[in-house]
Coordinates of all heavy atoms in Angstrom, one line a residue:
K25 N 163.8 26.9 151.2 CA 164.5 27.6 150.2 C 165.8 26.9 149.8 O 166.4 26.3 150.7 CB 164.8 29.0 150.6 CG 163.5 29.9 150.7 CD 163.9 31.3 151.0 CE 162.7 32.2 151.1 NZ 163.0 33.6 151.3
P26 N 166.1 26.9 148.5 CA 167.4 26.2 148.2 C 168.6 27.0 148.7 O 168.6 28.2 148.9 CB 167.4 26.2 146.6 CG 166.5 27.4 146.3 CD 165.5 27.5 147.4
T27 N 169.7 26.2 148.8 CA 171.0 26.8 149.1 C 171.6 27.3 147.8 O 171.6 26.5 146.8 CB 171.9 25.8 149.8 OG1 171.3 25.4 151.0 CG2 173.3 26.3 150.1
V28 N 172.1 28.5 147.8 CA 172.6 29.0 146.5 C 174.1 29.2 146.6 O 174.7 29.6 147.7 CB 172.0 30.4 146.3 CG1 172.6 31.1 145.1 CG2 170.5 30.3 146.1
H29 N 174.8 28.8 145.5 CA 176.3 28.9 145.5 C 176.6 29.6 144.1 O 176.1 29.2 143.1 CB 177.0 27.6 145.5 CG 178.4 27.7 145.4 ND1 179.1 27.5 144.2 CD2 179.4 28.0 146.4 CE1 180.4 27.7 144.5 NE2 180.6 28.0 145.7
E30 N 177.3 30.7 144.2 CA 177.8 31.4 143.0 C 179.3 31.5 143.0 O 179.8 31.9 144.0 CB 177.1 32.8 142.8 CG 175.6 32.7 142.6 CD 175.1 34.1 142.3 OE1 175.5 35.1 143.0 OE2 174.1 34.2 141.5
A31 N 179.9 31.2 141.8 CA 181.3 31.3 141.7 C 181.8 31.3 140.3 O 181.0 30.9 139.4 CB 182.0 30.1 142.4
D32 N 183.0 31.8 140.1 CA 183.6 31.8 138.7 C 183.7 30.3 138.3 O 184.2 29.5 139.1 CB 184.9 32.5 138.8 CG 185.6 32.6 137.4 OD1 185.5 31.6 136.6 OD2 186.2 33.6 137.2
N33 N 183.3 30.0 137.1 CA 183.4 28.6 136.6 C 184.7 28.3 136.0 O 184.9 27.2 135.4 CB 182.3 28.3 135.6 CG 182.5 29.0 134.3 OD1 183.4 29.8 134.1 ND2 181.5 28.8 133.4
G34 N 185.7 29.1 136.2 CA 187.1 28.9 135.7 C 187.4 29.6 134.4 O 188.5 29.6 133.9
S35 N 186.3 30.1 133.7 CA 186.5 30.8 132.5 C 186.2 32.3 132.6 O 186.2 33.0 131.6 CB 185.6 30.2 131.4 OG 184.3 30.5 131.7
G36 N 186.0 32.8 133.8 CA 185.7 34.2 134.1 C 184.2 34.5 134.1 O 183.8 35.6 134.3
S37 N 183.4 33.4 133.9 CA 181.9 33.6 134.0 C 181.4 33.2 135.3 O 181.9 32.2 135.9 CB 181.3 32.8 132.9 OG 181.7 33.2 131.6
L38 N 180.4 33.9 135.8 CA 179.7 33.5 137.1 C 178.8 32.4 136.8 O 177.9 32.4 135.9 CB 179.0 34.7 137.6 CG 178.4 34.6 139.0 CD1 179.5 34.4 140.1 CD2 177.6 35.8 139.3
L39 N 178.9 31.3 137.6 CA 178.0 30.2 137.5 C 177.1 30.1 138.8 O 177.7 30.2 139.9 CB 178.7 28.9 137.4 CG 177.9 27.6 137.2 CD1 177.1 27.7 135.9 CD2 178.8 26.4 137.2
H40 N 175.8 30.1 138.7 CA 174.9 30.1 139.8 C 174.3 28.6 139.9 O 173.9 28.1 138.9 CB 173.7 31.0 139.4 CG 172.6 31.0 140.4 ND1 172.5 32.0 141.4 CD2 171.6 30.2 140.6 CE1 171.4 31.7 142.1 NE2 170.8 30.7 141.7
R41 N 174.4 28.1 141.1 CA 173.9 26.7 141.3 C 173.0 26.8 142.6 O 173.3 27.5 143.5 CB 175.0 25.8 141.6 CG 175.8 25.5 140.3 CD 176.8 24.4 140.6 NE 177.4 23.9 139.3 CZ 178.7 23.8 139.1 NH1 179.6 24.1 140.1 NH2 179.1 23.4 137.9
E42 N 171.9 26.0 142.5 CA 171.0 25.8 143.6 C 171.0 24.4 144.1 O 170.9 23.5 143.2 CB 169.6 26.3 143.3 CG 169.6 27.8 143.0 CD 168.2 28.4 142.7 OE1 167.2 27.7 142.9 OE2 168.2 29.6 142.2
F43 N 170.9 24.2 145.4 CA 171.0 22.8 146.0 C 169.8 22.7 147.0 O 169.4 23.7 147.6 CB 172.3 22.6 146.7 CG 173.5 22.7 145.8 CD1 174.1 24.0 145.6 CD2 174.0 21.6 145.2 CE1 175.2 24.1 144.8 CE2 175.1 21.7 144.4 CZ 175.7 23.0 144.2
C44 N 169.3 21.5 147.2 CA 168.4 21.3 148.3 C 169.0 21.6 149.6 O 170.1 21.0 149.9 CB 167.9 19.8 148.2 SG 166.8 19.4 149.6
S45 N 168.4 22.4 150.4 CA 169.0 22.8 151.7 C 168.9 21.7 152.8 O 169.6 21.8 153.8 CB 168.4 24.1 152.2 OG 167.1 24.0 152.4
K46 N 168.1 20.7 152.5 CA 167.9 19.6 153.4 C 168.9 18.4 153.1 O 169.6 17.9 154.0 CB 166.5 19.0 153.4 CG 165.5 19.9 154.0 CD 164.1 19.3 154.0 CE 163.1 20.2 154.7 NZ 161.8 19.6 154.7
C47 N 169.1 18.0 151.8 CA 169.9 16.9 151.5 C 171.2 17.2 150.7 O 172.1 16.4 150.6 CB 169.1 15.8 150.8 SG 168.7 16.3 149.1
G48 N 171.2 18.4 150.2 CA 172.4 18.9 149.4 C 172.4 18.5 147.9 O 173.3 18.8 147.2
S49 N 171.3 17.8 147.5 CA 171.3 17.4 146.0 C 171.2 18.7 145.1 O 170.5 19.6 145.5 CB 170.0 16.6 145.8 OG 170.1 15.4 146.4
G50 N 171.9 18.6 144.0 CA 171.9 19.7 143.0 C 170.5 19.8 142.4 O 169.8 18.8 142.1
I51 N 170.0 21.0 142.2 CA 168.7 21.2 141.6 C 168.8 21.8 140.2 O 168.2 21.3 139.3 CB 167.8 22.1 142.5 CG1 167.6 21.5 143.9 CG2 166.5 22.4 141.8 CD1 167.0 22.4 144.9
L52 N 169.6 22.9 140.1 CA 169.7 23.6 138.9 C 171.0 24.4 138.8 O 171.7 24.6 139.9 CB 168.5 24.5 138.6 CG 168.3 25.7 139.5 CD1 169.1 26.9 139.2 CD2 166.8 26.1 139.5
E53 N 171.3 24.9 137.6 CA 172.5 25.7 137.5 C 172.3 26.6 136.2 O 171.5 26.2 135.3 CB 173.8 25.0 137.3 CG 173.9 24.1 136.1 CD 175.2 23.2 136.1 OE1 175.8 23.0 137.1 OE2 175.5 22.8 135.0
Y54 N 172.9 27.7 136.2 CA 172.9 28.6 135.0 C 174.1 29.6 135.1 O 174.5 29.9 136.1 CB 171.6 29.3 134.8 CG 171.2 30.2 135.9 CD1 171.5 31.5 136.0 CD2 170.4 29.7 136.9 CE1 171.2 32.3 137.0 CE2 170.0 30.5 138.0 CZ 170.4 31.8 138.0 OH 170.0 32.6 139.1
G55 N 174.6 30.0 133.9 CA 175.6 30.9 133.8 C 175.0 32.3 133.7 O 173.8 32.5 133.4
A56 N 175.9 33.3 133.9 CA 175.4 34.7 133.8 C 174.8 35.0 132.4 O 173.8 35.7 132.4 CB 176.6 35.6 134.0
A57 N 175.3 34.4 131.4 CA 174.7 34.7 130.0 C 173.3 34.2 129.9 O 172.5 34.7 129.1 CB 175.6 34.1 128.9
A58 N 172.9 33.1 130.6 CA 171.6 32.5 130.5 C 170.7 33.0 131.6 O 169.5 32.6 131.6 CB 171.7 31.0 130.6
A59 N 171.1 33.8 132.5 CA 170.4 34.1 133.7 C 168.9 34.6 133.5 O 168.0 34.2 134.2 CB 171.1 35.2 134.6
N60 N 168.7 35.4 132.5 CA 167.4 35.9 132.2 C 166.5 35.0 131.3 O 165.3 35.2 131.1 CB 167.5 37.3 131.5 CG 168.1 38.3 132.5 OD1 167.9 38.3 133.7 ND2 168.9 39.2 131.9
D61 N 167.1 33.9 130.7 CA 166.4 33.1 129.7 C 166.2 31.7 130.1 O 165.2 31.1 129.8 CB 167.2 33.2 128.4 CG 167.3 34.6 127.9 OD1 166.3 35.4 127.9 OD2 168.4 35.0 127.5
F62 N 167.2 31.0 130.7 CA 167.2 29.6 130.9 C 167.6 29.1 132.2 O 168.4 29.8 132.9 CB 168.1 28.9 129.8 CG 167.7 29.1 128.4 CD1 168.4 30.0 127.6 CD2 166.5 28.5 127.9 CE1 168.0 30.2 126.3 CE2 166.2 28.7 126.6 CZ 166.9 29.6 125.8
R63 N 167.2 27.9 132.6 CA 167.7 27.2 133.8 C 168.0 25.8 133.3 O 167.4 25.2 132.4 CB 166.6 27.0 134.8 CG 166.1 28.4 135.5 CD 167.3 29.0 136.2 NE 166.9 30.3 136.8 CZ 167.2 31.4 136.3 NH1 167.8 31.5 135.1 NH2 166.9 32.5 136.9
Y64 N 169.1 25.3 133.8 CA 169.6 23.9 133.5 C 169.3 23.1 134.7 O 170.0 23.1 135.7 CB 171.1 23.9 133.1 CG 171.3 24.7 131.8 CD1 171.5 26.1 131.9 CD2 171.3 24.1 130.6 CE1 171.7 26.8 130.7 CE2 171.5 24.8 129.4 CZ 171.7 26.1 129.5 OH 171.9 26.8 128.3
I65 N 168.2 22.3 134.6 CA 167.7 21.5 135.7 C 168.4 20.2 135.7 O 168.6 19.5 134.7 CB 166.2 21.3 135.6 CG1 165.4 22.6 135.3 CG2 165.6 20.6 136.8 CD1 165.6 23.7 136.4
M66 N 168.8 19.7 136.9 CA 169.4 18.4 137.1 C 168.3 17.4 136.7 O 167.3 17.3 137.4 CB 170.0 18.2 138.5 CG 170.9 19.2 139.0 SD 172.3 19.5 137.8 CE 173.1 20.8 138.7
T67 N 168.5 16.7 135.7 CA 167.4 15.8 135.1 C 166.9 14.8 136.2 O 165.7 14.5 136.2 CB 167.9 15.1 133.9 OG1 168.4 16.1 132.9 CG2 166.9 14.3 133.2
G68 N 167.8 14.3 137.0 CA 167.3 13.3 138.0 C 166.4 13.9 139.1 O 165.7 13.1 139.8
T69 N 166.2 15.2 139.1 CA 165.3 15.8 140.1 C 163.8 15.9 139.5 O 162.9 16.3 140.2 CB 165.7 17.2 140.5 OG1 165.7 18.1 139.4 CG2 167.1 17.2 141.1
L70 N 163.7 15.6 138.2 CA 162.4 15.7 137.6 C 161.5 14.6 138.0 O 162.0 13.5 138.2 CB 162.5 15.8 136.0 CG 163.3 17.0 135.5 CD1 163.5 16.8 134.0 CD2 162.6 18.3 135.8
D71 N 160.2 14.8 138.0 CA 159.2 13.7 138.3 C 159.2 12.7 137.3 O 159.1 11.5 137.6 CB 157.8 14.3 138.5 CG 157.6 15.1 139.8 OD1 158.4 14.9 140.7 OD2 156.7 16.0 139.8
D72 N 159.4 13.1 136.0 CA 159.4 12.1 134.9 C 160.6 12.5 133.9 O 160.3 13.1 132.9 CB 158.1 12.1 134.2 CG 158.0 11.1 133.0 OD1 158.9 10.2 132.9 OD2 157.0 11.2 132.2
P73 N 161.8 12.1 134.3 CA 162.9 12.4 133.4 C 162.8 11.8 132.0 O 163.4 12.4 131.1 CB 164.1 11.9 134.1 CG 163.7 11.3 135.4 CD 162.2 11.4 135.5
S74 N 162.1 10.7 131.8 CA 162.0 10.1 130.5 C 161.2 11.0 129.5 O 161.3 10.8 128.3 CB 161.3 8.8 130.6 OG 160.0 8.9 131.0
A75 N 160.5 12.0 130.0 CA 159.7 12.9 129.2 C 160.6 13.9 128.4 O 160.2 14.5 127.5 CB 158.7 13.7 130.0
L76 N 161.9 14.0 128.9 CA 162.8 15.0 128.3 C 164.1 14.3 127.9 O 165.1 14.5 128.6 CB 163.0 16.2 129.2 CG 161.8 17.0 129.5 CD1 162.1 17.9 130.7 CD2 161.3 17.8 128.3
P77 N 164.1 13.4 126.9 CA 165.4 12.7 126.6 C 166.4 13.7 126.1 O 166.1 14.8 125.6 CB 164.9 11.7 125.4 CG 163.7 12.4 124.8 CD 163.0 13.1 126.0
P78 N 167.7 13.3 126.2 CA 168.8 14.2 125.8 C 168.8 14.4 124.3 O 168.4 13.6 123.5 CB 170.1 13.4 126.2 CG 169.7 12.0 126.3 CD 168.2 12.0 126.7
K79 N 169.2 15.6 123.9 CA 169.3 16.0 122.5 C 170.8 16.2 122.1 O 171.1 16.2 120.9 CB 168.6 17.4 122.3 CG 167.1 17.3 122.5 CD 166.5 18.6 122.2 CE 165.0 18.5 122.4 NZ 164.3 19.8 122.2
G80 N 171.7 16.3 123.1 CA 173.1 16.5 122.7 C 174.0 16.3 123.9 O 173.5 16.3 125.1
E81 N 175.3 16.1 123.6 CA 176.3 16.0 124.7 C 177.3 17.1 124.5 O 177.7 17.4 123.3 CB 177.0 14.7 124.6 CG 176.2 13.5 125.0 CD 177.1 12.2 125.0 OE1 177.3 11.6 123.9 OE2 177.6 11.9 126.0
F82 N 177.7 17.7 125.6 CA 178.8 18.7 125.6 C 180.0 18.2 126.4 O 179.8 17.4 127.2 CB 178.3 20.1 126.2 CG 177.2 20.7 125.3 CD1 175.9 20.6 125.6 CD2 177.6 21.5 124.2 CE1 174.9 21.2 124.9 CE2 176.6 22.2 123.5 CZ 175.3 22.0 123.8
F83 N 181.1 18.9 126.1 CA 182.4 18.5 126.9 C 182.8 17.1 126.6 O 183.3 16.4 127.5 CB 182.2 18.9 128.4 CG 181.8 20.3 128.6 CD1 180.6 20.5 129.2 CD2 182.7 21.3 128.3 CE1 180.2 21.9 129.4 CE2 182.3 22.6 128.6 CZ 181.0 22.9 129.1
C84 N 182.5 16.5 125.5 CA 182.9 15.2 125.1 C 184.4 14.9 125.2 O 184.8 13.8 125.4 CB 182.3 14.8 123.8 SG 180.5 14.8 123.7
I85 N 185.1 16.0 125.1 CA 186.6 15.9 125.2 C 187.0 15.3 126.6 O 188.0 14.7 126.8 CB 187.3 17.2 125.0 CG1 188.8 17.0 124.7 CG2 187.0 18.2 126.1 CD1 189.5 18.3 124.2

Side-chain angles (χ1 to χ4, degrees):
K25 290 186 177 185
T27 299
V28 175
H29 180 263
E30 290 184 324
D32 184 320
N33 68 359
S35 70
S37 296
L38 185 65
L39 185 62
H40 175 99
R41 289 187 169 131
E42 295 183 12
F43 302 86
C44 175
S45 59
K46 289 184 179 180
C47 71
S49 294
I51 300 169
L52 64 82
E53 64 185 20
Y54 58 90
N60 296 324
D61 301 312
F62 298 105
R63 295 294 180 264
Y64 295 86
I65 309 301
M66 306 308 178
T67 304
T69 66
L70 299 172
D71 291 335
D72 183 10
S74 66
L76 298 168
K79 294 180 180 177
E81 289 186 276
F82 293 97
F83 306 111
C84 296
I85 195 168

